[in-house]
Amino acid sequence: IVEQICSTVISLKSELNRLDALVGDGDTGSTFSSGAVKVQQELKNKNLPLTDIQKLLELIGEHLAMSMGGSSGILLSIFFTAAGTHFGKHQDLPAALLNGLEQMKFFGGAKVGDRTMIDALEPALLALRDNGITTAVAAAKSGAESTAQMLEAKAGRSSYLNSESLEGVKDPGAVAVENVFAIFK
């Protein structure tokens, strides 16, 4: 699963950069890809504790903090680190991922409706907790698609753009989330 997620994110580099060039500074694909490449390297070097979910999540968080630039690297690091810590205490992966999301939202300040990756991630994780992975895949897709209709961004570089620039363009972070969940179809 870790390899599939990394490969998916790396394969999206050009598309995410293209989308981000329309609504941001054009580097979302490069930023996400650099984190995925680092995790993929650690996986290939057998440096990831695949049988210990707590340590795996926490270590992924550390690697993302070191390898990804910008706010998305910091926020994803917070997400994975907090999820790992929560999993260590409660042994419930959906709850742990939701806890990571809450920490990401707290420190990043964005919420559903702000036209960020959270618009795909939150509904997907809630669906995962409540109904399982199949529903989560559909929720991520729906959440990402909703960002194309949001004419105001309240976080990130897109918040500086007018509604005409945003209309019809999905948020690149939400597209990344959608595609990661899509591997579980």
Side-chain angles (χ1 to χ4, degrees):
I1 291 171
V2 173
E3 172 57 38
Q4 280 186 287
I5 291 170
C6 291
S7 294
T8 297
V9 171
I10 293 165
S11 75
L12 292 169
K13 180 179 177 180
S14 294
E15 176 61 10
L16 297 179
N17 281 342
R18 184 190 71 76
L19 288 170
D20 196 37
L22 297 171
V23 297
D25 55 2
D27 68 348
T28 296
S30 298
T31 301
F32 279 49
S33 179
S34 67
V37 166
K38 175 63 174 168
V39 172
Q40 191 178 55
Q41 287 171 343
E42 294 300 314
L43 181 64
K44 286 179 182 173
N45 293 334
K46 300 189 185 318
N47 292 332
L48 294 180
L50 299 176
T51 60
D52 185 334
I53 293 174
Q54 175 186 356
K55 288 181 182 168
L56 175 64
L57 292 170
E58 290 172 345
L59 196 54
I60 287 172
E62 288 177 32
H63 289 308
L64 295 181
M66 293 184 295
S67 62
M68 291 176 72
S71 59
S72 58
I74 294 164
L75 293 171
L76 285 169
S77 175
I78 289 168
F79 171 77
F80 282 103
T81 304
T85 301
H86 189 277
F87 185 86
K89 294 176 184 171
H90 303 284
Q91 305 298 302
D92 181 338
L93 187 56
L97 295 172
L98 281 164
N99 180 266
L101 174 65
E102 289 306 312
Q103 293 302 307
M104 177 197 276
K105 288 167 52 177
F106 176 78
F107 288 104
K111 61 188 182 315
V112 168
D114 286 350
R115 200 178 197 287
T116 69
M117 73 175 100
I118 291 170
D119 289 296
L121 188 57
E122 184 167 312
L125 293 178
L126 289 170
L128 178 66
R129 178 194 66 195
D130 297 341
N131 300 304
I133 192 66
T134 302
T135 307
V137 171
K141 180 177 175 58
S142 177
E145 288 174 354
S146 76
T147 64
Q149 307 313 314
M150 294 178 187
L151 301 182
E152 180 183 8
K154 297 178 183 151
R157 298 226 193 259
S158 295
S159 64
Y160 300 107
L161 299 176
N162 62 34
S163 60
E164 291 83 26
S165 299
L166 300 175
E167 188 173 9
V169 181
K170 289 184 187 179
D171 175 76
V175 169
V177 171
E178 172 189 9
N179 280 273
V180 165
F181 273 89
I183 69 173
F184 299 101
K185 275 186 181 176

